[in-house]
């Protein structure tokens, strides 16, 4: 026999909604009682709600993994009241530098990649010609980085451009840029045909003990380290320029090898006069962990001209596996 209805609804249909309503009322009443300041009835519903939510937050904080996941920060950050440092070129002891006067849609993604891998405390300085200045104002992503100071675009002298490697070497062996980058002491110089590998367990900071480091150059091409992706100590670079003149012959054709030989000269002089030298140059084994060009290594921090000397699948570790970012690097080259 059917049960009588209530307001057109059967008692059977109302049974479960009534049960759930009762459960909710009991739960709320219990929480009010537990978190009431008087231990009995709460003083008001607002206070009770604040107490309940505070208790839940405390429970979340008690589980570090949940708290970190929900907030995007660690409890250690909260305890020490620390924040992530943002790049500031006028005070930073380190900076990444690219000199590029050519127009290319590939340059901006590469620069943003370097910024992401290096982190927010690495300012990036772009030197470009006055005629090319506007090409770095077309990307909203790049403009955001310029707005917060992480990327700075600086204009070179009017009419200055780099048609060949001799012009690049002539520019990098004058003190103007090195002085302009003060106060940064550690300078990561990179070109459009280089890239950092985000899979690397190393960071650029791991190589700060060296005054000059880059991909080691194979003996048939010279000596030293390639400057296309290189870390340089600014004060030592300026000391070389104070002691030696690039324009005087004979000298290596390329500035990176010239700096290598001149630093070795200074080391020898320091040892002869003082018994030791503060200038430190890495072995070729250490240098290839920093970057690879003509001498391969399975897991370098960076690559210069990643496919010129070895096809992508012929590296010790194929680049698609180790450093898929290599595709961001330009493959065309400045004229010899």
């Amino acid at each position: 026999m059917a049960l009588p209805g209530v307001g057109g609804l059967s008692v059977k249909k109302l049974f479960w909604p009534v049960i759930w309503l009762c459960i909710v009322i009991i739960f709320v009443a219990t929480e009010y009682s537990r978190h009431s300041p008087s231990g009995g009835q709460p003083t008001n519903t607002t206070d009770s709600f604040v107490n309940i939510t505070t208790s839940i937050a405390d429970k979340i904080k008690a589980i570090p993994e949940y708290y970190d996941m929900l907030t995007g920060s660690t409890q250690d950050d909260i305890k020490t009241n620390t924040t992530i440092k943002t790049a500031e070129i006028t005070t930073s002891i380190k900076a990444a530098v690219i000199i590029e006067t050519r127009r290319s849609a590939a340059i901006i993604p590469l620069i943003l990649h370097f910024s992401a891998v290096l982190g927010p405390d690495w300012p990036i300085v772009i030197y470009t010609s006055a005629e090319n200045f506007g090409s770095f104002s077309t990307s909203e992503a790049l403009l955001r980085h310029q707005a917060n100071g992480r990327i700075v675009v600086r204009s070179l002298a009017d009419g200055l451009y780099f048609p060949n490697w001799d012009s690049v070497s002539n520019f990098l062996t004058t003190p103007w840029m090195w002085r302009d980058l003060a106060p940064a002491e550690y300078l990561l110089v990179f070109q459009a045909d280089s890239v950092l590998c985000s899979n690397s367990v190393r960071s650029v900071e791991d190589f700060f003990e060296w005054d000059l480091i880059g991909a080691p150059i194979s003996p048939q091409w010279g000596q030293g380290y390639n400057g296309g992706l290189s870390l340089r100590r600014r004060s030592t670079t300026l000391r070389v320029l104070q002691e030696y003149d690039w324009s005087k012959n004979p000298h290596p054709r390329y500035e990176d090898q010239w700096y290598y030989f001149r630093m070795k000269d200074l080391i020898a002089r320091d040892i002869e006069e003082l018994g030791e030298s503060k200038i430190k140059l890495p072995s070729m084994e250490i240098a290839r962990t920093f970057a690879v060009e003509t001498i391969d290594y399975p897991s370098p921090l960076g690559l210069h001209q990643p496919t010129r000397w070895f096809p992508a699948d012929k590296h010790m570790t194929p680049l698609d596996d180790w450093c898929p970012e290599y595709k961001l690097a330009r493959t065309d080259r400045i004229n010899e």
Side-chain angles (χ1 to χ4, degrees), residues 8 15 32 48 53 56-57 59 95 115 117-118 122 132 137 140 142 170 188 219 226 248 267 274 276 327 331:
F15 178 77
Y32 279 4
S48 298
T53 54
I56 294 172
K59 290 177 181 177
S115 181
V117 176
L118 290 170
W122 273 88
N132 195 42
S137 301
E140 178 61 27
L142 194 72
N170 289 337
L188 180 69
N226 189 279
K248 294 182 179 179
I267 291 172
L274 306 173
E276 62 178 358
K327 297 170 186 176
T331 55

Side-chain angles (χ1 to χ4, degrees), residues 201-228:
V201 298
R202 300 175 182 85
S203 68
V204 177
E205 287 87 345
D206 292 336
F207 299 92
F208 274 6
E209 64 180 295
W210 310 110
D211 291 76
L212 173 64
I213 188 171
I217 297 173
S218 187
Q220 65 263 38
W221 303 108
Q223 296 184 50
Y225 323 103
N226 189 279

